[in-house]
Amino acid sequence: ADEPSPSPSPSPSPSPSASDPGMPSGWELLDRDDNPVDKVDSGTGAAVAHAKKTKHQKKAEKKRKEEGIRELEARRKAGLIAPTTAPEFEQLIMSSPNSSFVWIQFMSYLIAQGELDKARATAQRALKTIQFREQDEKFNVVMAWFNAENAYGTEESTEEAFKKAMAMSSQSKVLKTALDIYELTGKTDSAREVAKTLCKLYGDNPESWIRVIRFYLKQGDPEQAKAHYGKSQQALHPRHHVHMSSQAALLEFKLGDAERGRSIMEQLLQNNPKRLDLWNVYCDQEVKYGEANRTRALFERCTSLQWPAKKMKAMFKKYLDYAKKHGDEELVEHVKEQAMAYVTRLQANNDEDEE
């Protein structure tokens, strides 16, 4: 009777770099022409191929095999080869127990195998293993856990990961990251709840409002963006108002309504007419998003103000650069003439002061 053929062994899961032909998998060490593990001495004819090996040949083959294994292991420990099995990941974790990168890669491997429960347990184990002072590493792991639950888990498991993150990490950082994750995965309702919590708990920080305004503008909800900008002016200390307003204007130019951005900048400049940095921000946005006539008019306004010589020189240089890149010869000559006229007036004033 024919003997039953042996069942094929399951193929190992591909490593994260398997799709990249330029990345070594590690197994090419065993597939090359001088394969130290599987190579047999070549000869002529079947008799030579199947000839009994001498003691010296067996010893040499064993040595080559051991050298190949040592080389493979050294490269794997050095991180040159991605682990492809759970034991290999465990070995890597033993050598780098505080590395969030290693733990997260192991979690990704388990998820790819359909082992979400094991990935969850691995995250919890990582949070217990990583040393307390490595807070950034812990944060990376807990947010990777939250991200995995958001993608593959239930509402309950996602909430559990979120609460764990809020309990052990900077809540402001957790909320901003959770907002990013919900936004990227299209979970708008959850994102809005996180945005509400962020503004409620950290309304004294302009970065909270900036992040939430950006979210609403990207969602195509300019009314909510406008409403949150108004709330920010009430919640923030006056010392934060200039930064908050300038950032809100930038977001409006980039993601929302340019006219709304101009309105915010005009109000800023009305209250801070000598802030050259704000004029520069305004000019940059008009250059990037505005029309030529509007941009030129803004430069004309700015260069007509009374600035110290050093600041005026910087502004004329900015205007001239714009004229060369986006204007014509007529505009370039106009800017040069304006600059020369300013220098002439400046010299005349200096001469009068000396007299």
Side-chain angles (χ1 to χ4, degrees):
D2 293 337
E3 295 182 359
S5 59
S7 301
S9 59
S11 301
S13 300
S15 68
S17 61
S19 60
D20 183 357
M23 292 290 292
S25 67
W27 300 111
E28 73 276 3
L29 290 174
L30 307 183
D31 294 335
R32 63 193 185 188
D33 293 339
D34 60 340
N35 184 337
V37 177
D38 296 328
K39 180 181 177 182
V40 297
D41 294 335
S42 61
T44 56
V48 175
H50 295 284
K52 186 177 180 180
K53 298 175 183 177
T54 65
K55 184 177 180 180
H56 177 74
Q57 289 174 326
K58 290 180 179 179
K59 186 176 180 179
E61 181 180 342
K62 181 180 179 181
K63 182 179 180 181
R64 287 195 299 271
K65 183 181 295 186
E66 290 174 349
E67 288 176 350
I69 293 173
R70 281 197 297 270
E71 183 180 353
L72 185 64
E73 184 64 21
R75 294 190 66 189
R76 197 176 296 285
K77 286 183 177 180
L80 300 176
I81 304 171
T84 58
T85 65
E88 290 174 0
F89 274 106
E90 293 288 357
Q91 187 175 8
L92 192 57
I93 285 171
M94 289 180 63
S95 64
S96 304
N98 293 316
S99 171
S100 60
F101 176 79
V102 173
W103 286 103
I104 293 170
Q105 289 295 307
F106 191 14
M107 291 165 59
S108 299
Y109 165 80
L110 292 171
I111 291 172
Q113 303 299 311
E115 300 283 0
L116 181 58
D117 287 340
K118 289 185 179 180
R120 184 182 297 122
T122 298
Q124 295 168 344
R125 177 179 149 212
L127 296 175
K128 294 178 181 178
T129 302
I130 297 173
Q131 294 181 0
F132 176 78
R133 65 176 180 270
E134 301 289 350
Q135 288 300 308
D136 287 343
E137 301 299 315
K138 284 179 174 287
F139 172 80
N140 293 339
V141 170
V142 76
M143 294 315 297
W145 175 21
F146 170 76
N147 192 25
E149 297 290 1
N150 178 61
Y152 306 107
T154 63
E155 290 186 9
E156 291 75 16
S157 63
T158 303
E159 182 67 18
E160 178 188 355
F162 178 75
K163 288 181 178 179
K164 181 67 174 179
M166 291 288 282
M168 64 176 296
S169 301
S170 163
Q171 292 189 347
S172 173
K173 193 175 179 182
V174 169
L175 289 167
K176 290 174 184 175
T177 306
L179 181 55
D180 288 338
I181 291 172
Y182 280 138
E183 181 181 355
L184 289 171
T185 54
K187 298 187 177 181
T188 306
D189 291 341
S190 297
R192 287 174 181 264
E193 286 299 316
V194 171
K196 182 179 178 180
T197 303
L198 181 60
C199 292
K200 180 179 179 180
L201 296 181
Y202 298 96
D204 59 343
N205 187 334
E207 299 307 318
S208 300
W209 297 100
I210 291 168
R211 180 64 191 85
V212 170
I213 290 171
R214 185 179 72 183
F215 163 70
Y216 281 115
L217 287 176
K218 290 177 72 174
Q219 291 296 311
D221 193 344
E223 291 305 316
Q224 278 295 328
K226 183 178 179 180
H228 279 78
Y229 172 67
K231 291 178 182 178
S232 75
Q233 299 300 291
Q234 299 173 1
L236 293 171
H237 190 279
R239 70 173 180 271
H240 295 308
H241 284 182
V242 171
H243 173 66
M244 179 68 229
S245 296
S246 62
Q247 292 301 306
L250 289 175
L251 289 171
E252 288 287 357
F253 270 106
K254 183 177 181 180
L255 302 171
D257 182 4
E259 279 301 325
R260 172 73 181 152
R262 292 185 184 101
S263 176
I264 295 174
M265 289 304 305
E266 291 290 347
Q267 183 65 41
L268 264 180
L269 291 171
Q270 183 178 340
N271 297 330
N272 304 273
K274 296 299 183 180
R275 288 282 300 267
L276 183 61
D277 59 326
L278 296 179
W279 284 98
N280 279 324
V281 168
Y282 196 3
C283 288
D284 287 342
Q285 298 312 297
E286 288 294 1
V287 168
K288 193 169 184 180
Y289 301 106
E291 299 174 353
N293 291 338
R294 190 189 295 270
T295 305
R296 177 175 174 175
L298 183 59
F299 274 116
E300 290 290 330
R301 281 176 59 193
C302 189
T303 53
S304 67
L305 298 175
Q306 298 300 314
W307 299 106
K310 187 175 181 180
K311 290 185 176 181
M312 185 63 87
K313 179 182 178 181
M315 182 50 64
F316 270 120
K317 183 179 184 303
K318 190 180 190 73
Y319 192 6
L320 184 60
D321 288 342
Y322 166 76
K324 290 179 178 178
K325 291 180 181 178
H326 304 284
D328 52 23
E329 286 298 325
E330 182 179 353
L331 181 57
V332 170
E333 289 303 316
H334 169 75
V335 177
K336 289 181 178 179
E337 289 173 3
Q338 292 282 79
M340 288 302 298
Y342 168 77
V343 172
T344 301
R345 291 195 304 272
L346 187 64
Q347 290 175 342
N349 291 337
N350 290 338
D351 292 340
E352 291 178 3
D353 291 341
E354 291 177 1
E355 294 176 1

